[in-house]
Amino acid sequence: MAQQLATWTQLTKRSALQDMLELTSGSEYISFGLGLPNAEFFPTEQLARSANEVLLQQSNILQYAPPTELLKQQIQLLMGQRGVHCSTSQIFLTAGAQQGINLLARLLLDPGKTVLSEEVTYTGFLQVLEPFQPRILTVPTDPVMGIDVEQVEKILQTEERPACMYVIPSGHNPLSYTLSREKRQRLAQLAAEYEVPIIEDDPYGFLEYEDIEIPAIKSFQSDWVFYVGSFSKILAPGLRLGWIIANEEVIEKLSIAKEATDINTTTLTQQIAANFLQKDEFTKHLLYLRQEYSSRRNCMLDHLSARLGEVGSWTSPTSGIFIWVRFPEYINTMELFRESITTEKVTFFPGNVFAVGQNQISTSSIRLNFSFNNHDKIDEGIARLSRLVKRHI
């Protein structure tokens, strides 16, 4: 039967994220691998109250229904914090950001087309591309400065024009950088000048830990940037709620593509989220989340400096939930990972999981998540990681 499946399925492999979920489910593991928010901070009681209210007030809440206008209005207000001014007719609701990326890929790509990507990027985007079997043009990227915009422009100046470009500007997954305002503005200008749409994936844009918030790329260019947002990291991933901001003519095509996928985003969770968001509690929740995650980031940075400061390097991320750690080139982090599973039982993602092709930036680096564990677990986990790495020095 497997031989009768589509050609692309013969080449695809099981996601490293899924393998990690199964492999490290035991309580003996300390996981820095998955990009999980901390369930301790989910506003469970508030969401329960909202669920009770909408279930009692709306008799048709469990029926098929068009997208919830109230939720779109709340997203419209939220986007003002990202510098994006849009109408509710430009907001398209999705079952999480991953579906948003998938739907946009379906709209923008024909099989075999060209896509522009950083040389190290989010694995979920690469999975979305697999059925299209595109040619991926990569540009250099840096854990501090981010995507090389000059190289982007050089590629766009060639005859081979990409169908789209994928960017994670805030709290980059996995490199953890936050792109400067100047680079965002230049990318928006290039998208318009060369008519190459940008998919701006922004799940971490609301998790800023500095006083200055940099606006989204979408704020600089309304036509050629598709903004993808998510409630997974700032509310709860189990709600499966995200959104796309695009022009009305694109929204119509997205509706057709989504209907073929899942008919519509769950009405119940739309209404629960809308009910919660219109209350003052969400503003307090988001502020609390930033404070707690900032504290855990600082905790991990302190322990990294104390235990691995002589053998590794990293930067302090100003947003997001990851820290990208670089070791000397002779250290192979995939080997570290395999050994860690059986000895230290601390998990992380080796850098080459995120690589488009082979490059040195990924083979000797790892991605660590700081949002999931408390301070004690972070302390113990970095101690285990330190023992592991120093055996390879």
Side-chain angles (χ1 to χ4, degrees):
M1 180 61 187
Q3 296 177 354
Q4 305 304 314
L5 300 179
T7 303
W8 72 269
T9 66
Q10 313 298 327
L11 303 175
T12 190
K13 296 181 180 180
R14 180 177 165 85
S15 165
L17 294 171
Q18 293 301 321
D19 288 339
M20 178 73 79
L21 276 171
E22 292 187 6
L23 188 62
T24 63
S25 58
S27 59
E28 71 273 23
Y29 287 95
I30 294 178
S31 177
F32 296 142
L34 295 171
L36 298 177
N38 196 296
E40 177 185 344
F41 305 138
F42 295 163
T44 308
E45 292 183 6
Q46 297 94 319
L47 289 174
R49 287 195 294 270
S50 291
N52 186 59
E53 289 176 16
V54 299
L55 282 167
L56 292 176
Q57 294 171 3
Q58 303 182 46
S59 59
N60 65 341
I61 191 68
L62 300 179
Q63 184 58 277
Y64 290 115
T68 304
E69 187 66 19
L70 178 58
L71 180 56
K72 288 185 177 185
Q73 292 170 358
Q74 296 304 314
I75 292 172
Q76 182 185 31
L77 293 173
L78 269 179
M79 290 310 303
Q81 299 180 29
R82 305 293 297 122
V84 177
H85 302 286
C86 60
S87 65
T88 57
S89 62
Q90 295 173 314
I91 297 173
F92 185 81
L93 301 180
T94 63
Q98 187 67 24
Q99 185 185 59
I101 297 168
N102 195 303
L103 292 174
L104 286 171
R106 291 179 63 186
L107 260 61
L108 296 171
L109 293 179
D110 287 319
K113 288 289 186 178
T114 302
V115 173
L116 187 59
S117 167
E118 294 170 87
E119 60 186 356
V120 178
T121 193
Y122 170 51
T123 57
F125 174 65
L126 300 177
Q127 284 182 303
V128 164
L129 295 181
E130 287 182 349
F132 303 97
Q133 299 184 1
R135 179 167 179 254
I136 303 178
L137 299 176
T138 60
V139 292
T141 191
D142 182 84
V144 178
M145 303 303 295
I147 187 171
D148 189 330
V149 177
E150 291 183 0
Q151 288 300 315
V152 170
E153 184 171 9
K154 287 181 180 179
I155 289 177
L156 297 181
Q157 288 171 343
T158 66
E159 293 182 359
E160 184 170 20
R161 195 63 53 81
C164 65
M165 179 184 355
Y166 177 74
V167 184
I168 312 169
S170 296
H172 185 278
N173 181 8
L175 297 178
S176 76
Y177 71 77
T178 291
L179 206 60
S180 69
R181 181 189 182 95
E182 292 73 24
K183 283 195 171 186
R184 295 179 193 223
Q185 191 167 12
R186 184 57 184 149
L187 283 173
Q189 291 169 347
L190 291 173
E193 180 180 350
Y194 292 96
E195 298 186 345
V196 174
I198 292 176
I199 299 176
E200 180 181 13
D201 190 7
D202 195 37
Y204 313 108
F206 292 97
L207 294 177
E208 294 280 354
Y209 308 123
E210 305 296 331
D211 292 334
I212 300 176
E213 295 184 2
I214 306 175
I217 300 173
K218 179 73 174 174
S219 69
F220 300 107
Q221 171 49 243
S222 61
D223 293 331
W224 289 95
V225 179
F226 298 113
Y227 181 96
V228 181
S230 174
F231 288 112
S232 292
K233 301 302 188 292
I234 60 174
L235 205 51
L239 292 174
R240 302 313 305 136
L241 281 177
W243 66 93
I244 297 170
I245 299 179
N247 290 343
E248 285 86 347
E249 60 268 27
V250 176
I251 296 292
E252 180 181 354
K253 300 297 184 183
L254 285 169
S255 299
I256 297 170
K258 182 171 171 59
E259 185 178 5
T261 303
D262 63 357
I263 306 299
N264 69 342
T265 299
T266 309
T267 308
L268 177 60
T269 56
Q270 287 185 54
Q271 293 286 0
I272 292 172
N275 181 284
F276 175 64
L277 288 167
Q278 67 181 339
K279 301 174 181 177
D280 292 338
E281 293 172 322
F282 178 70
T283 302
K284 297 175 184 177
H285 164 73
L286 190 55
L287 178 60
Y288 175 66
L289 208 58
R290 288 171 172 170
Q291 292 172 342
E292 288 294 332
Y293 285 165
S294 176
S295 174
R296 293 179 185 218
R297 174 203 61 175
N298 294 341
C299 176
M300 180 171 282
L301 290 171
D302 289 344
H303 288 296
L304 283 170
S305 296
R307 298 180 185 275
L308 287 167
E310 296 180 357
V311 295
S313 61
W314 48 84
T315 56
S316 174
T318 59
S319 59
I321 58 176
F322 302 113
I323 296 175
W324 181 260
V325 180
R326 291 156 285 170
F327 295 117
E329 292 185 1
Y330 61 81
I331 291 183
N332 185 307
T333 53
M334 182 58 76
E335 293 178 2
L336 282 185
F337 173 75
R338 294 192 184 103
E339 181 180 333
S340 182
I341 294 302
T342 57
T343 59
E344 299 297 345
K345 298 192 184 313
V346 57
T347 64
F348 48 83
F349 266 170
N352 63 357
V353 169
F354 306 96
V356 184
Q358 295 296 321
N359 53 72
Q360 187 56 50
I361 189 177
S362 59
T363 57
S364 57
S365 300
I366 63 174
R367 188 197 75 177
L368 300 177
N369 164 267
F370 58 79
S371 61
F372 182 63
N373 294 292
N374 61 30
H375 287 221
D376 290 340
K377 282 289 185 68
I378 290 173
D379 181 7
E380 174 60 24
I382 297 302
R384 296 183 189 184
L385 179 63
S386 175
R387 289 196 298 265
L388 175 71
V389 172
K390 289 178 178 179
R391 289 199 295 268
H392 288 254
I393 298 299

